[in-house]
Amino acid sequence: MKVLIEKIMKIPDVYDDFVLGVVNYAKMNPDHVVVLNEFMDSKKDVMTSDVVEFIMKQPDFHTYSANLKKNVS
């Protein structure tokens, strides 16, 4: 995880909420850390939008979304 965070922090357009979101997604499954590190290693000049797009295309992305439905009236 530490290596992933170091890579994230080197992205030129990094911002706090991006870091929080990527780290939280990575924490959900150890495989996420591996695929994110591989993705970032394979892409030169990676930007935050590249990482967000990559995460959103992962087959389990929606598994980790807010699943709790509240009755709002």
Side-chain angles (χ1 to χ4, degrees):
M1 181 68 78
K2 182 179 179 182
V3 172
L4 177 62
I5 293 170
E6 289 172 357
K7 289 177 187 177
I8 291 169
M9 297 305 293
K10 290 180 181 175
I11 297 174
D13 64 338
V14 70
Y15 52 96
D16 292 342
D17 288 339
F18 169 78
V19 175
L20 180 64
V22 174
V23 169
N24 281 334
Y25 177 75
K27 284 181 179 179
M28 298 290 184
N29 183 330
D31 292 339
H32 294 170
V33 176
V34 173
V35 297
L36 284 166
N37 273 313
E38 289 174 354
F39 171 75
M40 293 181 70
D41 287 342
S42 72
K43 193 149 174 72
K44 186 178 177 176
D45 301 324
V46 69
M47 300 297 281
T48 57
S49 59
D50 299 320
V51 178
V52 170
E53 179 181 21
F54 177 77
I55 290 172
M56 290 177 65
K57 289 182 176 179
Q58 296 307 297
D60 65 350
F61 173 69
H62 293 287
T63 303
Y64 301 105
S65 63
N67 290 334
L68 299 175
K69 294 183 179 182
K70 295 183 180 179
N71 186 4
V72 179
S73 309

